[in-house]
Amino acid sequence: MRMNNQDKWIKAGLIATILIVLTVPVYLVKKNIFETADESQFANEPFFVGKDACVDCHKVQFELWKGSDHDLAMDYATDSTVLGNFNNVQLTARGFTHQFYKRDEKFFVRTDGPKGKPEEFEVKYTFGYHPLQQYLVEFPGGRLQTLPLTWDTISKSWYHMADAVYPEEEVNHRNWLHWTNLGQNWNGMCADCHSTNLKKGFDIKTETFNTTWSEIDVSCEACHGPSSEHIKWANLPEMARPQNVNAGLVVQTSNIDNRRYVDLCARCHTRRSALHDYDFDWADLLDQMIPELVREPLYYPDGQILEEDYVFGSFTQSRMYMEGVRCNDCHDVHSGKRILDGNALCLQCHRSDVYDSYKHHFHKYEGNSSLKVIDEFGIEQEVGSGVQCINCHMPGRYYMGVDYRRDHSFRVPRPDLSDEMGTPNACTQCHANQSNAWATSYMKKWYGESTNPHYGIALAAGTHRLPGAFEKLVRLSNDDLYPVIVRATALSLLGENYADSSKIILKNNLKDVESLIRYTAVNQYPLSDLTDMDALVPLLNDPVRAVRFEAAIKLSQVPREQFPAKSRYALDEALLEYKKAMEYSGDFAASRLNLGNYYNNLGEPLKAIEQFIAAIRIDDQFYPAKVNLAMIYNQQGENDKAELLFRDVLKSNPGMSEIYYSLGLLLAEREKYQEAANMLQKASELLPDRIRIYYNLGLIYQYLNENQNAEQVLMKGLNIQPENFDLLYALADFYLKQKNFSRAKFYAEKLVTLYPQSQVGTDILKMIPR
């Protein structure tokens, strides 16, 4: 189980396949399963039968699976499964001396508990096997919690996970990340990818779990689905078996393209938000989950892995994926191991005379030199390691302290971009004592001066709002030659950082053929007036679940009486889907935030407050819930509470641009105009594309009689958006009040020209002396 730092939120408001080969007719295979099965269940739908029903026919596949990471994903704590040393040993870490011991053939630890004091806990389950093993403890309410005390199976020693992952952060018993809290809860954070037929069973009313599985590990049916119909099919004489039913299996794993194949593995091998318990019958990945985009803080600005991504997000960026490569081209799906060793794996596709040669990699072979290098992790790399394809094209990082995982985006090292974007490259990751300039000089010497453009340049520029970033992101988001996940990431940066300028681009992408593009466009699309509603209404009937309910939650902001009557049923159905998905994951602060927004949009502020408070109770550092709670308090006239919440958020997150804007408006409402101006000035610096800030700030400066500042701010906004109605009106009114009638006339006439349907420009012209 990973320790996931949920403090790093970007924005409020916010998600193996096995080819079984049947060799001989097996009429009597596991016949007892059907003799004991419930007939009504069997008649209606397939059910889970367990791995023992598979062994007789699939002995080769079963033997490969035995001892694999999937087989050992989770188990009951016994002498044969527990790897850690429980022979009365101790570990001193995080201000406590933690003890490990056995009593009556059971395993125990003494460590800091939910009250911050040492307590005894019995280990009930093992979790994982190599290169580390963790341990689960039962808690009230059906919870299993993951101990931070972890066994390193390589060095055969104990370590504390917080020391490995958050060495600079205090993780006490009040912190969401503490092992007794929901940040380290097995039921919601880990369970669905470590057991078969996992049913989470979270009750949002009682905040308890009733989590069940059919098999404790990742077994055959975790990938193939419930297999009772497959056994019925196998029990038939060979000539009587239907040929058009996928051998009775729910999940098709053969004769599918690489996209479907990779999506099957993405169920677990992606950083995502699950929408419900896994359903094996799905058409689109976003019917099941919402994958994370390749953005900070999970990825470096160019898409390289930073936090755990579980492969999907990096692999779907790759040229390999775009060319049709899929998981089982490199990995045996039953054992999980690579199908070939060393460069032979890559030479299945790549010519050895071109790529497995000194003229390509320019590195010494084993035995050619005694020179060794120390990599960025302090590990000595032997001569010859540089000729291995994966070391240049799949550099990795350590996660959870000792788990080395490689980046699956298969990229060419770009040391020339590392200083510019703050990104790593394989050259200086291995030659840690050298500079990026040193590596760049060798790349140019070996491969020439020219380099290919990389989408990371646009993503990095957009992330940091650099000059020219908007145009780069637009080109990237519209270019079908780039991977879908990259285009969607560009679109999300456009919507987040260039909200006003990107509206038409987002609107155009609402009709994109790719569900992830449509979802991202809906998620970022600003619903500023009723005319925007028309673009989203058709998506209430989108074939993909996540797109439907994202459109619904956005449209729920529209007053019921103003929403088209013919589309209300579709809206209600999609909103119900949304609510169920958020309640399913209601053990997470983000889902409670979304439920709060849901109730607030439906005009139920008390229920919204209840959900926002629940989110803060789950994670008191989750600032989006504090922001939205502050906004509701503001709407209800409880501005003291609202201001305290905003200031609390800024204290912990001083770089949050949106909060300066919100607090500035609140302070203006409370007639604290000087403070309001200071906050809005800061917001305008952090959000230079947000036109409305210039308008609000200009009005406040006028009220403070700081007319020069008012003029400068309004003009700055108009330079960004020359035809903005509000700014043209504000300037015309400003100059009229200053008795600068020529300038007032100039902007009033612009209003008349650009907005002939509005009377405002004409009215101002009437007030100007002739």
Side-chain angles (χ1 to χ4, degrees), residues 477-493:
S477 66
N478 288 332
D479 193 337
D480 292 340
L481 295 178
Y482 285 101
V484 171
I485 198 167
V486 171
R487 293 176 52 218
T489 302
L491 202 61
S492 73
L493 287 168

Side-chain angles (χ1 to χ4, degrees), residues 11 13-14 286 290 293 488 491-492 495-496 502-503 505-512 514-528 532-533 535-542 544-557 574 578:
K11 182 178 179 184
L14 349 107
L286 269 70
I290 301 169
L293 300 178
L491 202 61
S492 73
E496 184 171 310
S502 64
K503 187 171 184 177
I505 298 151
L506 292 167
K507 185 175 182 179
N508 291 338
N509 279 282
L510 294 173
K511 299 178 181 179
D512 196 274
E514 294 289 348
S515 60
L516 186 59
I517 298 290
R518 296 198 304 279
Y519 171 83
T520 306
V522 176
N523 179 263
Q524 294 293 336
Y525 189 69
L527 193 64
S528 30
D532 297 326
M533 176 177 64
L536 294 179
V537 168
L539 293 169
L540 294 173
N541 296 302
D542 193 277
V544 178
R545 175 181 283 129
V547 179
R548 284 196 303 274
F549 71 45
E550 191 65 20
I553 193 63
K554 188 79 72 168
L555 288 167
S556 66
Q557 301 173 58
Y578 181 86

Side-chain angles (χ1 to χ4, degrees), residues 182-201:
L182 287 174
Q184 303 304 318
N185 169 250
W186 166 87
N187 311 70
M189 296 291 288
C190 323
D192 61 336
C193 288
H194 282 257
S195 299
T196 301
N197 187 26
L198 196 288
K199 305 297 181 186
K200 181 178 176 181

Side-chain angles (χ1 to χ4, degrees), residues 98-140:
H98 313 275
Q99 299 171 304
F100 308 84
Y101 51 94
K102 290 180 67 176
R103 186 173 64 242
D104 300 327
E105 301 304 313
K106 297 178 180 179
F107 299 84
F108 294 89
V109 297
R110 184 171 179 80
T111 186
D112 53 310
K115 296 181 181 179
K117 297 180 179 179
E119 297 181 43
E120 179 183 85
F121 300 93
E122 181 185 352
V123 170
K124 289 288 188 177
Y125 303 94
T126 63
F127 207 63
Y129 193 81
H130 180 82
L132 57 97
Q133 186 175 69
Q134 292 183 278
Y135 302 95
L136 304 180
V137 171
E138 289 181 346
F139 268 60

Side-chain angles (χ1 to χ4, degrees), residues 647 650 657 659-665 667 673-686 693 697:
R647 292 189 184 279
L650 274 184
S657 50
I659 311 307
Y660 288 100
Y661 187 23
S662 298
L663 180 55
L665 295 177
L667 291 170
Y673 294 113
Q674 189 58 61
E675 278 191 279
N678 294 339
M679 290 293 172
L680 291 177
Q681 179 61 43
K682 183 70 173 178
S684 71
E685 295 167 4
L686 295 172
I693 299 176
L697 183 55

Side-chain angles (χ1 to χ4, degrees), residues 549 574-584 595 598-599:
F549 71 45
L575 280 175
L576 182 60
E577 284 187 296
Y578 181 86
K579 181 186 177 192
K580 287 180 178 178
M582 294 306 109
E583 289 179 341
Y584 170 79
L595 283 170
Y598 165 86
Y599 284 117

Side-chain angles (χ1 to χ4, degrees), residues 676-708:
N678 294 339
M679 290 293 172
L680 291 177
Q681 179 61 43
K682 183 70 173 178
S684 71
E685 295 167 4
L686 295 172
L687 295 167
D689 192 57
R690 189 68 61 83
I691 299 301
R692 191 71 182 176
I693 299 176
Y694 300 104
Y695 173 78
N696 296 129
L697 183 55
L699 297 186
I700 290 176
Y701 276 140
Q702 286 184 66
Y703 184 86
L704 293 171
N705 290 318
E706 297 183 27
N707 293 323
Q708 185 176 356

